[in-house]
Amino acid sequence: MTPKTTTRRALLAAAAFAAFAAASSAQAADAWPSKPIHLIIGYAAGGPTDVAARYYARFLSEALGQTVVVDNRAGASGVVAASVTKNAQPDGYTLYYVASPTMTMTPLIQQSSNFKPLEDFSFIEILYDFANVLLVSQNAKVQNVGDLIAQARSQPNSVSYGSAGIGATNHLSGELLAQMAGVKMLHIPYKGNAPALSDVMGGKISFMFDVSGTAIMQIQGGKVRALAVSSPERMPQLPDVPAVSESGLKDFSVTGWYGLIGPKGLPKEIVSRINQANAAIAQNPEYKKWMYQYGYNIQTTGPDTMRERTRNETVLWEGVIKKANIHAE
């Protein structure tokens, strides 16, 4: 047998194997889902993310005709869950219900992050986004964001704001506000949003940004007062509360989001099936009503939009983080 013949046979064998592998992958995608899907969450059970994810999982299960198991992998601001997803098989049975900070903030701050959001995952789509609400105590003297900025300008660091911890969305939102206004504000990190909110109510700190779902309930309960929302426009759920951009900071815009990603190499057929399921879910009246009451805006824009938004927001937060020299302790 000549070397040329051997090479030809090797090439034919390799081509046959590639064709077999492609056919097997296509068959697997066609059969999907044939067993329960694990929906990974980067936060503990019982919190607002867990509640929303479990609610969504019920509708996804109905749309796909398969059980969806919620799998809480809390730790390191979503890094643990991201690692689980990154290392899973790209067969559609491991999906990550991911929060935007895990994709756009955490990798810039935490050295423990062992993933690259734009390289290590298959993007599926953003499920919903939401504004943060700037809250103060009922007895606070300030009436608007302009008052906060004026106080901070006349007395640097006299205005304090709380967050769920260093690098949290509400930390960086407060820092962005201070940077855009050109003032110094004092950041007070807490271990979670709840203790920070408690100190806002008690007047121990000046303000905090809180996610719309929690904020709306506290506002309706008369426990805090809303000065502004972080979205570029007013929220329909809080029509009398102005956007921060109405207070002279016209380019201020912060919206968080939750979306779905999978391991790198997820078949396009599976991504398309999930997109179709999400489109159907988005039209469900029960689902729409539940999302609206918590200030969530349903999105069904596909993988390309999710990737682009991740890229753009990473650029924004990288600038804020570098200017403030923020790093995890």
Side-chain angles (χ1 to χ4, degrees):
M1 183 180 297
T2 66
K4 186 177 292 186
T5 301
T6 302
T7 301
R8 186 182 297 112
R9 287 185 175 179
L11 290 173
L12 289 172
F17 178 79
F20 174 78
S24 298
S25 177
Q27 289 175 356
D30 289 341
W32 184 90
S34 59
K35 61 181 181 179
I37 298 166
H38 283 255
L39 188 66
I40 308 296
I41 301 175
Y43 299 92
T49 300
D50 178 72
V51 171
R54 290 178 186 276
Y55 189 76
Y56 165 73
R58 175 165 69 86
F59 288 91
L60 182 63
S61 175
E62 293 173 359
L64 294 175
Q66 184 55 261
T67 301
V68 177
V69 179
V70 174
D71 187 353
N72 298 87
R73 299 295 185 99
S77 300
V79 172
V80 173
S83 296
V84 171
T85 306
K86 175 185 173 182
N87 296 320
Q89 291 295 317
D91 55 11
Y93 294 103
T94 300
L95 304 176
Y96 185 7
Y97 186 94
V98 66
S100 54
T102 302
M103 302 291 280
T104 64
M105 299 177 182
T106 302
L108 301 172
I109 296 174
Q110 292 194 19
Q111 294 183 349
S112 61
S113 301
N114 59 354
F115 62 93
K116 297 179 180 180
L118 293 172
E119 299 178 15
D120 293 338
F121 302 105
S122 295
F123 286 71
I124 300 173
E125 95 185 318
I126 292 173
L127 299 173
Y128 62 90
D129 64 13
F130 56 90
N132 291 316
V133 186
L134 197 161
L135 303 175
V136 298
S137 74
Q138 283 286 6
N139 298 322
K141 295 181 180 180
V142 294
Q143 298 300 311
N144 51 55
V145 174
D147 289 346
L148 277 177
I149 293 173
Q151 181 183 335
R153 184 166 287 126
S154 63
Q155 298 175 287
N157 287 326
S158 65
V159 174
S160 58
Y161 67 96
S163 77
I166 293 174
T169 302
N170 43 10
H171 172 200
L172 298 188
S173 296
E175 182 58 41
L176 178 63
L177 175 67
Q179 288 184 12
M180 292 185 68
V183 298
K184 293 290 185 181
M185 295 181 175
L186 182 63
H187 171 234
I188 309 295
Y190 291 79
K191 293 182 178 180
N193 279 334
L197 183 59
S198 178
D199 277 0
V200 168
M201 293 177 186
K204 294 181 180 179
I205 57 176
S206 304
F207 75 93
M208 74 174 289
F209 281 100
D210 199 10
V211 296
S212 58
T214 306
I216 288 172
M217 291 187 291
Q218 300 299 336
I219 295 165
Q220 292 174 343
K223 296 182 179 181
V224 290
R225 188 157 47 88
L227 291 192
V229 296
S230 66
S231 50
E233 299 177 349
R234 297 190 183 200
M235 292 175 54
Q237 298 88 344
L238 299 171
D240 296 327
V241 180
V244 173
S245 59
E246 296 179 52
S247 302
L249 304 178
K250 63 183 182 64
D251 294 325
F252 187 95
S253 176
V254 177
T255 51
W257 49 263
Y258 281 89
L260 287 184
I261 59 174
K264 185 176 181 178
L266 195 63
K268 292 182 179 180
E269 296 85 356
I270 291 178
V271 172
S272 180
R273 285 283 307 280
I274 298 171
N275 293 153
Q276 292 170 13
N278 286 335
I281 293 169
Q283 298 304 314
N284 185 292
E286 180 186 348
Y287 182 78
K288 291 169 68 175
K289 180 180 179 180
W290 191 90
M291 297 295 281
Y292 179 86
Q293 71 180 345
Y294 289 105
Y296 299 148
N297 303 307
I298 299 172
Q299 306 287 321
T300 53
T301 53
D304 292 341
T305 298
M306 184 182 190
R307 178 178 292 277
E308 186 64 20
R309 188 163 176 178
T310 299
R311 180 183 292 109
N312 292 341
E313 291 181 11
T314 298
V315 172
L316 166 68
W317 296 122
E318 185 174 25
V320 172
I321 290 165
K322 285 184 175 180
K323 186 172 182 178
N325 192 28
I326 298 170
H327 55 85
E329 295 182 340

